[in-house]
Amino acid sequence: MDELVDQVDERDRVVGVVERGEAIRGRLLHRIATIVCRDADGRFLVHRRADATPLFPGQFNWMLGGAVDTGESYEAAAARELAEELGVVTRPRFVLKFLCEGVISPYWLGLHEVVVTGPVRPDPSEVAWHAWVTHPELSALAARDSFVPDAREALDRYRALNSA
């Protein structure tokens, strides 16, 4: 059985529960929690998604994350995804939320941030490669066709928020 997610409306209010696959196929709004990892020097963690991942295989991303389970908060989902994908256990800080049109399906994206001070242990089924990069290096990666398109929109919004 597919994971269950809250179907939400244009104001991010829960209107039902659906399987995630159904939400994507039906272009039903649901919630995604993401995490941006920075190190003590302010560099960003970027990664290349594993080739076997169902969404955006082999593409680069600056965020980790996934679907918010039914009844779960954005923050709890972000912490869960961070532990599952990177082996980092900490409480992410909420940064912003926006309605993302999405390449595959529309969804509400909750972006969180953490400063990682210890080692990361990426899950190889999710992360094929990773590195810490500077802001200019991240910008260069984001300009490539192999960068997850939805992540590019989130990066633009993150930059706008941090330049204000």
Side-chain angles (χ1 to χ4, degrees):
M1 182 166 151
D2 204 359
E3 63 188 315
L4 295 177
V5 297
D6 288 330
Q7 179 184 348
V8 295
D9 65 13
E10 68 283 346
R11 294 180 58 198
D12 197 19
R13 296 176 301 199
V14 175
V15 295
V17 174
V18 296
E19 291 184 350
R20 183 172 185 210
E22 179 185 346
I24 291 170
R25 284 187 303 279
R27 299 191 54 79
L28 306 173
L29 290 176
H30 56 289
R31 295 171 172 158
I32 300 291
T34 63
I35 308 97
V36 172
C37 298
R38 301 194 71 176
D39 69 6
D41 295 325
R43 296 178 302 174
F44 296 89
L45 181 78
V46 295
H47 68 284
R48 188 174 66 76
R49 294 177 54 80
D51 291 332
T53 57
L55 302 176
F56 307 110
Q59 292 191 340
F60 292 92
N61 201 338
W62 73 301
M63 302 181 300
L64 298 154
V68 177
D69 292 337
T70 188
E72 187 177 37
S73 70
Y74 283 99
E75 290 77 12
R80 175 179 50 77
E81 292 286 347
L82 183 62
E84 290 173 2
E85 295 185 24
L86 270 193
V88 174
V89 178
T90 190
R91 184 177 179 180
R93 179 183 70 84
F94 177 81
V95 176
L96 62 94
K97 178 176 77 167
F98 68 95
L99 182 56
C100 182
E101 189 56 38
V103 171
I104 294 170
S105 173
Y107 56 88
W108 279 96
L109 186 145
L111 189 142
H112 302 76
E113 186 175 52
V114 296
V115 174
V116 177
T117 57
V120 296
R121 295 176 305 284
D123 176 352
S125 71
E126 298 277 348
V127 177
W129 167 91
H130 71 283
W132 294 98
V133 300
T134 63
H135 193 272
E137 292 168 327
L138 174 58
S139 295
L141 273 172
R144 296 170 63 174
D145 287 342
S146 57
F147 198 80
V148 174
D150 297 358
R152 193 174 296 118
E153 180 181 357
L155 179 58
D156 290 344
R157 290 175 180 265
Y158 179 86
R159 283 183 182 141
L161 185 69
N162 286 309
S163 67

